[in-house]
Amino acid sequence: MTSRTTPTAAPTPTPTSAQAELGDFPALTQRYSRELLAHCYRMSGSVHEAEDLVQETFLRAWRASAAFEGRSSVRTWLYRIATNVCLTNLEGRPRRPLPTGLGTSDQPAGDALEQDHEIAWLEPVPDAAVVVEERDSIRLAFVAALQHLPARQRAVLIMRDVLRWSAAEVAEALETTSAAVNSALQRAHAQMSARALTQDTVEPDLSPEQQHLLERYVDAFWRKDVDQIVSMLTAEAVWEMPPFTSWFRGRANIAWLIGNECPGGTRDMPMLATRANGQPAFGMYMRGPGGDFTPFQLQVLEMTGPPEAPEIRQVDAFFDPRLFTAFGLPASLPADHVPQGTDTLPGVPG
């Protein structure tokens, strides 16, 4: 008589950490949305396009999650999907420039301003919307520089220099060879170097002197004190304002621009502070016929000089009301709004 052995049930496989991560897609999207938005923004140059590209990335990831083999981390896998989503989106599209990137010279004072709404302009991105390990890689000038590269070179440079991927990892993501990746990176570096466009250091915190400069800047616009505004600029400061194709260099030209082309007067232009591309930024409002203030332009400032003696070397002023929504700025300000920290003008009620 033979003894019977009760069959032992096969052990239930324990899900890997990657499988567990993919199993909670709401948490997955919350964990990676902001850094993927930074990645898609670098590739596209548009905060609005980047938001759509991130959504498409997560949609593709969700559809493909069952086939995920775990050969890389979920984070790397998502970046691979996002990069290819961006490359597909960029096919046949022109780059997004700033006016200084159009190849035209700076404009002298007095010349008529021209707009071009057919150009897809570079956009700023709110600091609050993105997570970046390399803060300088999100600077407006650096993202503008990336737009001069062909899309695949742009992807290679971002993955190698910003994400710090190996040539082999980039090659796998782009379905090419390590040799091709290294060649593309070399060409990208050469083009960036030729334009003298690099990642400059971005200081995360403002010095007291830098903060005071920004407060004076807000106050000067509120008073429309043109001399005070340009006194804070470097001698060769640049002012550009898409969708206007014109751009201006130097205090005298910028003073003429603000004094003659800016429609607001005293107490017409309050500003609300924000942060864009790792840089100080302001939403500027303009007083309307009814007395209240409506969005006018979003200014992104680039400062230079030692922290104890700062100056402003570039202002990018974007005439796009949609950006106020993207930056979480109010759609209007009441007629009695006074910018915080501004002094009461002599003879004018506060």
Side-chain angles (χ1 to χ4, degrees), residues 280-301:
F282 294 97
M284 176 192 279
Y285 293 76
M286 187 66 66
R287 191 184 296 276
D292 59 342
F293 301 96
T294 56
F296 183 61
Q297 60 182 214
L298 191 131
Q299 294 188 8
V300 182
L301 278 58

Side-chain angles (χ1 to χ4, degrees), residues 5 8 15 18 46 50 69 103-104 114 134 147 174 179 185 196 243 263 284 302 307 310 314 325 339 349-350:
T5 303
T8 303
S46 165
E69 298 177 353
T104 57
E114 295 184 6
E134 304 288 340
Q147 303 305 304
L174 300 180
L185 182 63
M284 176 192 279
E302 184 174 346
Q314 181 147 339
T325 302

Side-chain angles (χ1 to χ4, degrees), residues 115-159:
Q115 299 185 55
D116 192 334
H117 291 282
E118 298 302 315
I119 296 175
W121 296 99
L122 182 69
E123 298 173 351
V125 67
D127 279 17
V130 296
V131 170
V132 288
E133 295 179 359
E134 304 288 340
R135 289 181 59 88
D136 45 10
S137 73
I138 209 71
R139 285 179 66 247
L140 200 58
F142 182 68
V143 177
L146 289 174
Q147 303 305 304
H148 290 278
L149 301 176
R152 286 181 71 84
Q153 282 186 28
R154 197 182 310 171
V156 167
L157 185 140
I158 292 169
M159 288 191 285

Side-chain angles (χ1 to χ4, degrees), residues 56-133:
E56 177 64 20
T57 295
F58 283 122
L59 180 60
R60 291 193 188 185
W62 179 74
R63 289 171 175 168
S65 58
F68 178 70
E69 298 177 353
R71 292 183 297 167
S72 66
S73 68
V74 171
R75 180 176 182 267
T76 299
W77 180 64
L78 288 172
Y79 269 99
R80 185 181 300 127
I81 295 172
T83 300
N84 284 286
V85 166
C86 290
L87 288 173
T88 299
N89 178 69
L90 290 169
E91 287 179 3
R93 291 194 176 193
R95 62 185 178 86
R96 286 181 172 268
L98 288 171
T100 50
L102 295 177
T104 57
S105 60
D106 57 299
Q107 184 164 323
D111 285 4
L113 303 181
E114 295 184 6
Q115 299 185 55
D116 192 334
H117 291 282
E118 298 302 315
I119 296 175
W121 296 99
L122 182 69
E123 298 173 351
V125 67
D127 279 17
V130 296
V131 170
V132 288
E133 295 179 359

Side-chain angles (χ1 to χ4, degrees), residues 122-251:
L122 182 69
E123 298 173 351
V125 67
D127 279 17
V130 296
V131 170
V132 288
E133 295 179 359
E134 304 288 340
R135 289 181 59 88
D136 45 10
S137 73
I138 209 71
R139 285 179 66 247
L140 200 58
F142 182 68
V143 177
L146 289 174
Q147 303 305 304
H148 290 278
L149 301 176
R152 286 181 71 84
Q153 282 186 28
R154 197 182 310 171
V156 167
L157 185 140
I158 292 169
M159 288 191 285
R160 292 284 281 124
D161 288 3
V162 178
L163 300 180
R164 310 297 192 208
W165 285 19
S166 68
E169 289 174 316
V170 176
E172 183 180 358
L174 300 180
E175 297 183 348
T176 186
T177 65
S178 294
V181 166
N182 290 330
S183 176
L185 182 63
Q186 187 176 20
R187 294 195 302 275
H189 282 162
Q191 198 167 150
M192 297 283 276
S193 177
R195 295 179 178 274
L197 296 167
T198 59
Q199 297 182 59
D200 291 345
T201 300
V202 172
E203 298 295 337
D205 300 313
L206 295 173
S207 69
E209 293 80 6
Q210 288 171 329
Q211 185 60 50
H212 181 58
L213 176 73
L214 297 178
E215 291 168 358
R216 288 171 50 218
Y217 185 80
V218 170
D219 180 70
F221 263 101
W222 181 237
R223 297 173 180 268
K224 202 176 183 180
D225 186 338
V226 178
D227 290 340
Q228 180 71 6
I229 294 169
V230 298
S231 74
M232 295 179 244
L233 308 180
T234 62
E236 292 297 305
V238 169
W239 191 289
E240 54 187 338
M241 43 188 190
F244 292 93
T245 57
S246 314
W247 61 280
F248 295 81
R249 185 191 298 277
R251 295 189 186 116

